[in-house]
Amino acid sequence: MDPRNAIAVSATLHCLTGCAIGEVAGLMIGTALGLSTGQTIALAVGLAFAFGYLLSSLPLVGAGMSPGRALRLVLAADTISIVVMEVVDNAVMAAVPGAMDSGLVDPVFWLAMIVALAAAFVAAFPVNRFLIDRGRGHALHHAHHDQHDQHDQHDRHDQAHGSEHR
């Protein structure tokens, strides 16, 4: 597989995971609270963005980036992908008869959700590939990781061989 396709698949799956967690959590909360369909969708979309950004930020913060810088990078890298996913996901859910009116225990809901998330992946993959090809999107994540890895390799080299720079 072309390395850029592999990065695009990884980026798309990363966003899809956050979107799926947020969508399902929002639908569960909205249903439990008796919110209207519009309110439940708004909650689910908001949580999809929140979880998408959170899941993308955690590895960056874990690699030593400040939370503020990580969030700025993630906002720049993931917003377009999440927007595409949410538009497609919600359009498919709205197009499947009975999906929006079904409860969380109804197989129609879960089958529609699977189809909606698969369609969202298919729609977002070329967006992520386009962004990566232009040094945007998850390419920004990988650029940070590459710089971090090079810095770590330099530090290990200095520790192993001594350094006049210290």
Side-chain angles (χ1 to χ4, degrees):
M1 176 183 288
D2 180 332
R4 291 173 301 173
N5 283 341
I7 294 170
V9 165
S10 175
T12 306
L13 286 173
H14 207 129
C15 288
L16 185 68
T17 301
C19 288
I21 291 169
E23 287 279 337
V24 172
L27 294 171
M28 290 173 70
I29 293 167
T31 299
L33 295 177
L35 300 178
S36 71
T37 299
Q39 291 170 321
T40 299
I41 290 172
L43 177 62
V45 169
L47 288 176
F49 274 90
F51 278 98
Y53 292 145
L54 177 67
L55 290 179
S56 290
S57 296
L58 289 175
L60 296 172
V61 171
M65 186 179 284
S66 73
R69 184 167 178 232
L71 183 58
R72 285 190 302 276
L73 178 63
V74 167
L75 287 170
D78 292 357
T79 299
I80 294 171
S81 179
I82 295 173
V83 166
V84 169
M85 282 192 176
E86 286 304 303
V87 167
V88 171
D89 172 52
N90 285 291
V92 170
M93 288 296 287
V96 174
M100 295 303 289
D101 297 323
S102 61
L104 294 173
V105 296
D106 191 333
V108 170
F109 169 80
W110 291 106
L111 291 172
M113 180 61 75
I114 290 167
V115 171
L117 291 173
F121 177 90
V122 169
F125 172 81
V127 171
N128 283 315
R129 174 60 197 260
F130 176 83
L131 293 170
I132 288 163
D133 286 346
R134 279 145 190 81
R136 304 277 190 242
H138 269 64
L140 297 172
H141 289 264
H142 288 277
H144 168 74
H145 288 297
D146 290 345
Q147 288 173 357
H148 186 72
D149 291 344
Q150 289 171 358
H151 181 71
D152 288 347
Q153 288 171 357
H154 180 72
D155 286 348
R156 283 192 298 272
H157 175 76
D158 286 350
Q159 288 171 355
H161 300 289
S163 175
E164 331 51 78
H165 302 294
R166 291 184 194 217

